[in-house]
Amino acid sequence: MEKLFRKLHVEVKHINKLRAADVLQITEHSLQSHEFYSEKELIQTFIQKLLMMNYRARYIQTKETNKQDQTQQTDNDFSEEESDIFDDVFGNLSPSDKASNQSDPVHPMDVQMAVFHCADGFLKQLMVTKLSQCQYALPLLVPDPFTRQIEFPLWTFRQIKKSWKMRNNNEIISQTQPIYKAETPMVFFFRFGSVSSSKSQLMNDLINEKHNTFFHRNCPGSSTSRVLMDGVVEIAWFCPSGKNTDKFTDCVAFCNLHGDAGKHEKQLQILTEMASVNVVLLSRTDKYDRNASIIKNLYKDKKLLICLFPEDKSTVIEMKKRKFIIGLKDRSQSDVSEELRKAINACLLESSSTFRLEDVSKHSDIRVDEEDDDDCRRGREAAQQIMSLLGNKDLTKVKESFLPHQKLWHQWCQKNKELHRPQGDKTEREIRRKNTEIRHQQHEFHISDFIKRFIKEINLYDQHQKMFFLKWLKILLDEHTSADLSALHHKYDELQAAAFGLEHIMREIGQIYESCESVEKNKKDLKDLSSLPSLAAEMMISGSPLELMDGDAAHVPVIWISAVLDQLVQKLGDQRVFVLSVLGLQSSGKSTMLNAMFGLQFAVSAGRCTRGAFMQLVRVSDEMKTQIKFDYILVVDTEGLHAPELAGRSTRDHDNELATFVVGLANLTLINILGENLAEMQDILQIVVQAFMRMKKVRLNPSCVFVHQNISDITAREKNMEGRRRLQEKLDEITKLAAEEEGCDAERFSDVIKFDVQKDVKYFAQLWEGNPPMAPPNPNYCENIQELKKTIISHASKSHEMSLTHLKDHIKNLWEALLKEQFVFSFRNSLETAANRKLENEYSKWSRSLHNAMMVIEKKLHDEIKNEAIHEVEETDLQRELNKTSKKVKKSMSEFFEKDAYAEILIQWKTSFETKIKDLQGNIVRETKGKLNEILQHRDLKKKNEERKQLENTLVEKSKELALKLKDKANDEETLKKEFGLIWENSVKKIITDTDVLNDVTQVLSCCKQGNQYNNILAVPNYSEYVIFRKSSKNCTKRDVKESTLTPEDEAQIKSFVKDVVQKTDTMIQSFKISEKGYNISYIQQLTDYIRKSVIEHQKKCEKYEFQEEFFVDLVYFICNRANTIFIHQHRLFREANDPDLYTEKKREEYYSIFQKHCHGATLIAIFGEIICQKLKEPIEQSVYKKTARDLTDEMRSNCESLNGSRSNLEKHILKTLAEEEDFNKYMNYIHNPRDHFKSFIRDEVSQYITDKFSVSVLPKMEENIKLLQQKIMKAAHESTEHVHMNRGDAGLWLKSFRQQLSDVLIFSEKDLSGVKHDDVDDFNLLEDVIRQELTYIMSDISSRFNTETFPVKLDYKLRPDELLIDHFCQCCWVQCLFCKAICTNDTKNHDGDHSVPLHRVIGIDGKYFTDTGNLCANICTDLVASDLNFKSPNGWLNLKDYRRAGGVYADWSITPDLSELPYWKWFVCRFQKNLEKYYNKTFDGEGRIPYEWRAYSKRYAIDSLHKLYLGSGQRTETLRFTSHHCQR
């Protein structure tokens, strides 16, 4: 024993003292790779190879063995000529005797066990974990080499998980379990005495015949001098793959007792008791042999037993039930293995017993490492106490309860990004204020008991004890969450919410620290704030990773990271670090590569719960520091890019941000690629290059190495030289483009990022040697890792030094620059960026040309209007004036798209920009026309106002003069009226006449049809005379005859269309605001244009017929005649308000009343008071109506069931109403024109509410508002009187004060009284009394005229309750799903992120069908995106799973697979199947057949289901088509 340890240069005092930190550091030896090693290097070499998962660690050749081989060969060569056969064969000394005289070589398993005995608990655990990854057997029971006390190293198994798949009929069941928890059958192999056959080799054939799971006598390097393996029990597991070729259908444990079982009774007793099947190798022995009694007992026992006899030639024989014997002599290994496998499987079918690793610790007289080590035990107890605080809480709620600071942290991050990337009208000051508020709210949170306990426990221990505590906490957290996380595997958001690990705890501690630092105040329940970053720094020093970028918030907690790095400086000194980062797509093998290279333990599961970037320190040995000038390598591992579960625009932005950050942070970045295709990573690199150029203030010096993983062809490097050259050219081209735009002098990719295409491209072999789960790692992969490690160290030796302090500043500067760099979040790559920017520049020039040309035209026409040279402006005139510039712009556009260097890229935007320019031109013309017409109207109104004021002044003065003349005849009413009538006729002349709307319609349509000769298009019995039927072929068939008539469905469809146009034109007419602006024939032109456009759009959808011109003409006449009353009424209101003679005609009675009072000798004050009240009458009426409308709107928001919630609640009531009415045409209107349907529904609800509640709610509100306004007016009059008295003012001051006090409720000006003389008004108390008396009459008159008809008419269109509610509910996203027409449920127009809807529909509702059959599709979007169906996109056929690849609007939608019941739309499809089939002229047959079970849904059930679901839903898009032969049912 001691001789062995001396050979290996291990002192006995070092037992259990070798630490993980000692072997994980970068040493010169760890970079070397030799064919032979000295015996003193064996332990170090074994560990280094094992950490890299190189299973050849067991097959290390020594220099001593090699020398002996060479010496022996030399002796043979020397004697070759001089000796003969007799000397060689019968000489005194045989070759074997010669060999035995040489020192025995060290047995490979002695090296392994020597490392095991020397290692401390953490290194043992790491070593056993790596042995498991190498698919090697693991030490289960280990005798102490000196005391022979048996140890069960349970601690070493705690990090091992095994995965396997089992078949259950046709179903594959996947399992992943911590191995110490797994309950499996166990087969125990042992031997008595010496046997000629290898037990371990037999076991290997059962588990994996291509791999030596158990080391055996025929393995390379094996010798008879084995010292440390006798009495050791090893364990390995067979994990099935779910294939028919599996040797065992379930996971099975295999235990192997090394040495003679008779000499190791304790191990024998434990394992035979726990085994499901015992397998013993033994020679034919005397029944009185000392082992015979043990064998007899095993034979008598009920437990299954298989006896293997090396000297026996028999095949498998069942001696009695559950007892088998198999002979091994003169039989092939494969035959024996197959028989043994069948026998074991037969036994396992009989046995129900299972083996669990943890149960081994229940046996007495063995030492359990976890219990024997005080630090380990205390760490477990502390972790268990903390875990008890979690109780049975729902995992998705745990973080909310125990880690409260993180939710507000996410909000703060969002606001911080807004601060650096301003959007909208939010000011920097507002955002900073909000961020400060969030930090204060964060600070107000109490630290949870869980975190308090964590901080307390970790501060109690020394470094070694802390490591045990953290390891145990991680193990227990994984155990606590594993079952729930497995169930949530396909629900990413819930998976993220439920994930709870050490990183989340540290994230919370980081936010506690940041909140305290931000508000510059410690928390009450936290004694020492600096202990938090100190804790994190100690964890990093001990080898734990720390989160650098929070992937959930997509943000770097700079304050926290800076504090942790400061603590590292305090504890280690300002050490020099070389930053190594890795970047790659998800599941491309990044973490596996880092783990193998540095012996780390980053998570390597295929799915992921933690996002962002983590950093971990790897120490450089003292000898290496002189070579590479660094003390540590800081390894930064990142989440995988382009994660499928996070697909979408926001994820692409996050990927670009993460890539730029980690490449900019690192001295060297490993670009990890699965296979040889760089396409996906190329996009990321292009973003990174240009971002670096823009972030000039951050001094960046990045370099990169490309690593192609999983390359099977070892000559790929040579074959891919052309690919390398193309890659270099492409990257250089991108760099040049970016340099031109950024004003940099970079010519090559390597000018921005250090990169040598010849040296910095590595090709890695496949990771596994065979098929998982039983395949070991490929040794060639491990050799590739070693070569890459050397390349990294070579880069490090040439890299600039960076201290921890410098790193802290670098992280902060880089992140700040990245936050400000909006560019990173725009386009996919530099070529598109450059092309798009160039296009935008050109578009800016084109639009400027059009704007400038129109400005010239506008100025010219403006001058003509001022000079009264023109009295009307038409769009056609403006278009004609702009035509010359328009032609130049079109020519410039055409040349740009055809001849520019980026033409191939630009073509994708050509159509959209042509439309954009066309729309811009139309908008410019309409805006200019509107502005010029406003000027025209303003000019005319100004003239009319001047005339009106002059007329009012004239009437007042003439009335006063006449009253003085007729003072004696004041009681003669007839004379007074006659005389007043004379001055009225002389003063007022008629100016404006009523309009003739229908005559204008005839003029616009340029047809001779008179206004009274049109048909009432809504009341005609049928529409057959209005349509022309389309023929599908020249030859008339029965089908043609049938299709040449309108069916009831066709009639209903046309009627629905007419109603829809009528409704929309009603809205247009209201928007004209004729009561404010007056009538103009241009309004008829706008209506006509809209109706023409609607008819054309409707015809495009109809394959069967098209409309005759007469339909259009009658529709225009019907709508305009219907609107005639509104036109005339609103135009009259306009005239009454603006035409001097009509205005004064309306005021005739008021002026007569004033005239009468003059005649009766009324005081000037009484007359002045009455005039004031008459002037206030209209403003009072408007104010009362507006206030009542607002109050009523608020009441409906509270009391009206359909309007008292969110848009989703409103939609629920719309769908409920549609189902109750069962009107197919209304459904089609809702599906294809949702916004209009919403508006119509709101108007109906408001109208009905006003009608129902008028007397009990509307009228009382009106009266209350009148009363309040009357009180306010009188208060204003009283305070104005006091103000005049106090300041000794006149009537002018009184009026000014009176107006000011009413300015917030009434539109009233002193100018309204400018023509009324009030110089003699001096008794303001009397004036106040007059106003009080007159005001009562006015208020009574307003109240008497208030009813359901006047209420909406008297109000401005925008102030009506229905329009206020429409504005509230409809300012949201109305984008419809491209497949089913469901409306995006986001409450914001032009929102960030993807469009989404919780509930999609059956896509046949929108006419989607299968191409080759024409059958409507009965699938729902959420089913289709999980199917193998294809669809026709603008870019050709695509699989629906990849719908985002279609680009454009498709890429903006997030549709996730969902199997919810969705009864409402299933009922709808069943109820209206025939209507849908007729509407689209297709059927739900074949692959589109409606499932039978859908027909079980009743209308009531469908309506009831709306209460449980959040429902969401535009011109119809072009019908998408599906290919049926891609559909697999």
Side-chain angles (χ1 to χ4, degrees), residues 1146-1163:
K1146 187 174 71 172
K1147 300 284 186 180
R1148 181 169 182 154
E1149 288 302 316
E1150 294 173 18
Y1151 285 112
Y1152 181 66
S1153 173
I1154 293 167
F1155 170 68
Q1156 270 186 314
K1157 287 182 179 176
H1158 275 301
C1159 291
H1160 286 99
T1163 64

Side-chain angles (χ1 to χ4, degrees), residues 406-421 431 435 438-439 442 503 507 510-511 514 518 546-562 610-615 639 650 653-659 661-662 665 811-821 825:
Q406 291 176 44
K407 188 174 182 181
L408 286 172
W409 157 243
H410 289 183
Q411 293 176 23
W412 186 90
C413 293
Q414 185 62 39
K415 289 292 173 189
N416 195 44
K417 287 190 176 181
E418 288 177 18
L419 186 65
H420 289 86
R421 305 164 190 164
I431 298 170
N435 257 0
I438 292 171
R439 282 302 195 192
Q442 241 189 345
E503 66 272 23
R507 192 186 291 174
Q511 282 315 299
E514 286 209 336
S518 298
L546 182 73
E547 187 172 55
L548 173 61
M549 176 190 273
D550 180 342
D552 292 332
H555 210 285
V556 175
V558 175
I559 297 171
W560 169 244
I561 294 297
S562 298
T610 305
R611 301 174 64 194
F614 287 81
M615 57 181 180
E639 66 175 271
S650 59
D653 293 346
H654 173 58
D655 282 355
N656 292 342
E657 186 176 60
L658 178 66
F661 179 67
V662 298
L665 177 65
I811 290 172
K812 183 180 178 182
N813 293 339
L814 177 61
W815 183 244
E816 284 291 322
L818 192 56
L819 281 176
K820 293 172 185 173
E821 193 41 71
F825 311 98

Side-chain angles (χ1 to χ4, degrees), residues 905-923:
I905 297 172
L906 289 166
I907 194 68
Q908 63 182 307
W909 299 306
K910 185 172 187 252
T911 304
S912 63
F913 268 76
E914 285 174 345
T915 305
K916 204 171 173 181
I917 282 290
K918 186 178 178 183
D919 291 344
L920 174 69
Q921 189 171 328
N923 289 336

Side-chain angles (χ1 to χ4, degrees), residues 1195-1211:
E1195 180 179 290
M1196 283 186 281
R1197 288 291 317 278
S1198 300
N1199 298 345
C1200 185
E1201 192 178 349
S1202 60
L1203 303 172
N1204 69 355
S1206 61
R1207 185 180 79 166
S1208 60
N1209 176 65
L1210 174 60
E1211 186 160 19

Side-chain angles (χ1 to χ4, degrees), residues 1284-1299:
V1284 169
H1285 287 156
M1286 190 180 298
N1287 293 280
R1288 297 181 181 181
D1290 57 6
L1293 181 62
W1294 190 95
L1295 278 173
K1296 184 178 180 181
S1297 173
F1298 184 67
R1299 179 193 63 78

Side-chain angles (χ1 to χ4, degrees), residues 349-368:
L349 289 174
E350 295 273 332
S351 173
S352 59
S353 70
T354 56
F355 167 82
R356 199 166 74 111
L357 203 60
E358 283 184 323
D359 292 342
V360 177
S361 63
K362 295 176 183 177
H363 289 269
S364 59
D365 297 332
I366 63 169
R367 175 178 169 270
V368 181

Side-chain angles (χ1 to χ4, degrees), residues 632-646:
Y632 287 89
I633 291 179
L634 184 76
V635 181
V636 179
D637 188 22
T638 61
E639 66 175 271
L641 306 176
H642 293 197
E645 71 270 22
L646 298 171

Side-chain angles (χ1 to χ4, degrees), residues 1211 1215 1218 1226-1232 1234 1237 1401 1513:
E1211 186 160 19
L1215 290 170
L1218 285 168
K1226 285 186 178 179
Y1227 262 115
M1228 288 296 101
N1229 182 52
Y1230 161 74
I1231 289 164
H1232 297 303
H1237 192 92
R1401 307 169 185 167
S1513 88

